[in-house]
Structures are given as C-alpha cells and as structure tokens.
Amino acid sequence: MSAQQKQQTRVHIRWMIRRDMPEVLAIETRSFEFPWLEDDFIRCLSQRNCIGMVAEHNDRVVGFMIYELTKTRIRVLNFAVAAAYRRQGVGSQMLAKLIGKLSPQRRTRITLEVRETNLAAQLFFRANQFRAVSVLRNFYDDTPEDAYLFQYRYRPESVQTEVPDGRITRLAG
C-alpha cells in the first residue's frame, strides 16, 4: 500500500454493539499500557449519556471511541485506532463525526484528557485542531502521571474572517 493510499482509508462509523466487544478489547489492550477492561466498557456504556462508536473497514473494527454527552460539551472518554490503521485518516474521520455533532445552540466543545507521556496522541489531537488548555496534576489512579486537557471549540464555517482594511483596524491590531 502506498503512502497516499494509506492516508485515504475510508471507514464506516456506526454505533458500537455487543458483538464488537472482542475487537474493541483487542485494540484497547494493544493501544494502552493501562487498558480498560470489558467491565469498564459495559459500566460506561450502560449510562444514558455515554455513547460508543466504532470505525469499520472491510467488516472489521479498526477503531473506536467512547464519549459522554453533557449539556454543553462532548467529553471523549476513550479513543483508539488499531496499530495497522494509524496514520491513515481513521482517527481524523472519527473526530470529524464528533465535530459534526457540535452546534452554537447546544454543545460547543469537545474535551478529552491525554497522558503526558502519550506524545503520539498529543500530536494527533493538535493536528486535528485541538488545543491543550490545562495540565491536570496526578490525574490518573494507576500512575502519578499528569494529563493534558485538550479542547476543540465549535467554529461556524460561515463566519467571515475578512476584516475591512481601515486605518483604525490596522492600528488596533
């Protein structure tokens, strides 16, 4: 597969179902040093405001995301792509699905935490217009490690960014 083809792997993103759990758990276990257990997924997904989605390619689950809906934001709780499908646009397609759920009237931002040692995830989310907005000290129960709180804010596409080139505008900034 060429580099250009790798970047263009198209996936179908759908609701996670019980039958997906073995593939999701396999991706989770290979992706994280401290992976969620099946009970963690079940406990989270049994909550009314928690949603699981999978990215499918050729009838195989190649990525997943678990997120929580609150009144004003979407909080990503877990997000992973199978190692063989990373850097092929799968994660970006999953994020695009989440970003499409934002609106100025309801949920205006997406938040998530990333371990300070997970540089690959930090770079991935930055490349997808997320910004680190704070450091969460000793965030994790399993290590004394800090986390970065990343945030994506809703930006309406129809907003005009052109500013009239008047004297006051130039002086102001």
Side-chain angles (χ1 to χ4, degrees):
M1 200 182 275
S2 76
Q4 191 172 29
Q5 287 172 314
K6 275 188 167 188
Q7 292 179 343
Q8 308 239 334
T9 299
R10 302 298 306 158
V11 293
H12 172 66
I13 299 170
R14 61 169 176 78
W15 301 109
M16 184 184 294
I17 57 175
R18 181 82 176 164
R19 187 181 55 206
D20 299 324
M21 197 52 63
E23 289 176 291
V24 167
L25 286 169
I27 294 168
E28 173 76 6
T29 302
R30 291 182 186 114
S31 297
F32 301 108
E33 183 179 358
F34 302 100
W36 282 20
L37 304 173
E38 184 171 6
D39 287 346
D40 298 322
F41 281 95
I42 291 168
R43 190 177 321 107
C44 183
L45 292 169
S46 65
Q47 296 176 34
R48 205 172 51 103
N49 63 334
C50 196
I51 295 169
M53 300 195 87
V54 295
E56 215 175 29
H57 180 70
N58 292 336
D59 297 323
R60 289 188 55 219
V61 173
V62 298
F64 69 89
M65 59 185 168
I66 309 288
Y67 59 93
E68 173 183 57
L69 297 173
T70 68
K71 193 168 189 152
T72 60
R73 69 183 168 124
I74 296 171
R75 180 176 174 224
V76 177
L77 303 173
N78 200 338
F79 188 101
V81 174
Y85 288 86
R86 291 181 189 151
R87 299 185 177 272
Q88 297 180 33
V90 173
S92 295
Q93 289 171 72
M94 293 192 315
L95 284 180
K97 183 83 165 176
L98 277 184
I99 290 167
K101 297 177 181 301
L102 298 178
S103 72
Q105 297 83 20
R106 186 107 168 125
R107 294 177 188 96
T108 59
R109 61 196 166 113
I110 299 170
T111 62
L112 57 97
E113 298 86 21
V114 177
R115 286 182 185 269
E116 66 179 326
T117 55
N118 193 345
L119 182 59
Q122 293 170 36
L123 294 172
F124 166 74
F125 287 109
R126 279 191 56 100
N128 281 278
Q129 308 306 310
F130 281 71
R131 296 292 169 248
V133 293
S134 67
V135 176
L136 307 171
R137 302 281 177 211
N138 297 311
F139 182 75
Y140 298 99
D141 294 333
D142 48 26
T143 68
E145 185 172 16
D146 296 338
Y148 293 111
L149 177 64
F150 274 77
Q151 178 175 267
Y152 177 94
R153 284 204 167 275
Y154 174 77
R155 294 175 196 88
E157 292 185 30
S158 61
V159 172
Q160 296 291 332
T161 55
E162 243 179 80
V163 178
D165 191 22
R167 183 174 181 273
I168 295 172
T169 304
R170 283 194 313 270
L171 292 174

